[in-house]
Amino acid sequence: MNPVFADLPVSVFETMSRLAREHDAVNLGQGFPDDPGPEDVRRKAAEAAVEGWNQYPPMLGLPELRRAISSHYQHWHGLPFDPDSEIMVTSGATEAIAGALLALINPGDEVVLFQPMYDCYLPLVRRAGGIPRLVPLQPPDWRLTEEVLEAAFTPKTRVVLFNNPLNPSCTVYARDDLERLARFCRDHDAVVVCDEVWEHVIFDGREHIPLIGLPSMRERCVKIGSAGKIFSLTGWKVGFVCASPPLMRVLAKAHQYITFTTPPNLQAAVAYGLGKADDYFTTMRRDFQRSRDRFATGLRSLGFPVLDSQGSYFLNVDLAPLGLNEDDESFCKRLVVEHGVAAIPVSAFYAQDHVRSVVRFCFAKRDNTLDTALERLAGALRRSAKSSSIKE
Ligand code: GLN
């Protein structure tokens, strides 16, 4: 068996969700909202399954969805993508990432990965034959500094995998960091796989700046988006890829032999959803921001040091100042087993130079879910403080 997959543990999300079920815990681990998603979009999917075409749709995606994606990015970012030659629909953003890595990497190419990194990146890069170049970003700002980029890029760099907004650090990158990254990519003639699935889930009036829109980046970026994140429908697995025609031609070959197509009823519903008026998107942001603030305030009042969350469904707490004598992994195990709250240890997003004091919570939940979690978490810190002082 191929050791890349054979030697991997079960994903941290699956592990924590299983533990959550076993211990009847509030699951703030794996990132999915309590909200069932917009009813009109779900009804469209149901209608399309009953009334519509359920055989293979076109390989690149339904024309109506590719047109909707094009209009959506034109409207939100002023980016014109040709629906026929620059847009492709995939079965989730993970398929798009896997396909892009398989299509772009030649064995021996160096691939830049910024840590913390989403868990599928490293095995997919390795399986594609890439040599991972792992570079740690530093909390609390996780900036793409000149030093970080100097350490990341070499003459062998061919591909960069870049997540913005960044899960799990919850960072929305500002223009100066993006310009710095773009300069390094141009200087090293590298292609960037831009995982931008959180592009709409951003807070405090922040702006998402797609890297592909920066000068001379159009030809060297693969922009990946996700309907699951935009419509709180994470199980749908409808992703989209935007890239210039020479890149897209090769990406399409990978897609054609991985999933080939994506369920047509879901595509029709997403096409409808992307056309929604701006206030759907602004309300979604406002509602998640409200949940973030409710949960952050609760955590702070319990004594948890909460880090800034600029985007995504998550916020992090840094255990370091608490002196608990416990790393993130044992803290999360104890939390789920003894207190009935599941969270994610952020060290799972590292392959080396681990940060071991940060714990990620999903706040995309109903108020009463968050409140129950907060009640249970109250005991968790008190108990830890005591048990760690006993150990000492
Ligand atoms: N994107 C989700 C998260 O970060 C996890 C999805 C999965 O379980 N693979 O929590």
Side-chain angles (χ1 to χ4, degrees):
M1 276 178 275
N2 185 280
V4 171
F5 289 117
D7 296 348
L8 279 177
V10 173
S11 104
V12 68
F13 307 113
E14 188 62 29
T15 304
M16 292 312 297
S17 285
R18 188 178 45 75
L19 280 174
R21 283 191 295 275
E22 279 170 19
H23 296 276
D24 203 17
V26 180
N27 189 356
L28 305 186
Q30 193 176 35
F32 59 90
D34 270 353
D35 188 282
E39 187 174 333
D40 54 347
V41 175
R42 288 184 288 129
R43 282 201 187 284
K44 270 276 181 247
E47 245 170 59
V50 176
E51 321 279 347
W53 174 258
N54 287 288
Q55 309 308 333
Y56 301 121
M59 197 258 285
L60 291 178
L62 289 187
E64 68 195 86
L65 176 53
R66 284 184 279 137
R67 282 196 299 272
I69 294 166
S70 174
S71 313
H72 188 80
Y73 286 133
Q74 178 68 55
H75 173 71
W76 282 88
H77 300 299
L79 290 170
F81 292 111
D82 172 24
D84 294 326
S85 61
E86 296 185 306
I87 294 177
M88 177 169 77
V89 179
T90 57
S91 293
T94 304
E95 187 223 305
I97 294 166
L101 296 173
L102 289 173
L104 295 170
I105 295 172
N106 272 302
D109 286 349
E110 278 191 10
V111 180
V112 172
L113 295 166
F114 300 104
Q115 300 185 110
M117 65 190 159
Y118 188 57
D119 71 334
C120 74
Y121 291 0
L122 185 60
L124 291 174
V125 165
R126 287 213 168 111
R127 194 64 188 89
I131 310 293
R133 183 98 189 166
L134 296 159
V135 193
L137 301 171
Q138 296 306 325
D141 296 327
W142 318 93
R143 298 282 309 265
L144 299 167
T145 60
E146 200 74 27
E147 298 73 56
V148 162
L149 297 172
E150 287 284 359
F153 284 78
T154 80
K156 288 194 190 144
T157 305
R158 291 277 69 86
V159 177
V160 178
L161 184 40
F162 178 53
N163 183 205
N164 178 35
L166 177 59
N167 173 20
S169 74
C170 316
T171 314
V172 175
Y173 281 97
R175 192 172 292 278
D176 54 347
D177 279 31
L178 297 175
E179 278 173 353
R180 210 171 296 116
L181 175 61
R183 170 161 53 80
F184 271 81
C185 293
R186 285 191 296 265
D187 290 351
H188 291 81
D189 197 20
V191 173
V192 196
V193 178
C194 302
D195 171 357
E196 300 188 353
V197 299
W198 301 104
E199 59 195 334
H200 271 295
V201 193
I202 54 177
F203 312 124
D204 308 311
R206 281 196 169 72
E207 184 198 4
H208 170 70
I209 305 170
L211 193 69
I212 198 169
L214 267 58
S216 318
M217 294 307 282
R218 180 70 178 219
E219 311 308 317
R220 55 178 73 257
C221 283
V222 175
K223 172 174 171 40
I224 295 172
S226 160
K229 302 297 189 287
I230 297 179
F231 299 110
S232 302
L233 296 164
T234 59
W236 276 23
K237 305 296 288 182
V238 177
F240 15 95
V241 185
C242 301
S244 62
L247 285 171
M248 186 56 85
R249 277 193 284 276
V250 186
L251 301 174
K253 302 276 169 58
H255 169 66
Q256 121 180 306
Y257 293 129
I258 300 178
T259 59
F260 182 49
T261 59
T262 300
N265 66 316
L266 301 183
Q267 293 195 51
V270 171
Y272 160 82
L274 286 175
K276 275 174 166 298
D278 287 9
D279 73 293
Y280 164 77
F281 300 88
T282 49
T283 304
M284 186 248 300
R285 289 176 189 185
R286 197 200 54 214
D287 289 349
F288 282 132
Q289 182 173 321
R290 198 191 57 78
S291 301
R292 176 199 67 172
D293 293 343
R294 184 185 185 91
F295 193 54
T297 305
L299 284 173
R300 285 200 182 95
S301 71
L302 295 174
F304 282 88
V306 179
L307 302 178
D308 188 26
S309 167
Q310 304 175 344
S312 79
Y313 295 156
F314 313 110
L315 63 72
N316 293 310
V317 301
D318 187 359
L319 305 172
L322 298 175
L324 295 181
N325 264 354
E326 227 176 1
D327 66 11
D328 59 340
E329 215 175 302
S330 26
F331 182 82
C332 286
K333 287 233 169 80
R334 192 169 60 75
L335 220 56
V336 70
V337 173
E338 292 178 20
H339 299 278
V341 178
I344 300 287
V346 166
S347 59
F349 296 80
Y350 287 79
Q352 61 190 41
D353 312 309
H354 296 72
V355 167
R356 295 196 190 273
S357 64
V358 179
V359 171
R360 193 194 81 170
F361 291 93
C362 175
F363 57 73
K365 304 291 175 188
R366 291 194 189 92
D367 286 353
N368 63 353
T369 311
L370 295 177
D371 294 348
T372 307
L374 286 168
E375 277 162 31
R376 295 178 178 192
L377 286 168
L381 271 193
R382 278 203 300 276
R383 185 99 63 90
S384 269
K386 206 159 71 187
S387 56
S388 71
S389 66
I390 289 167
K391 262 186 239 152
E392 284 154 16

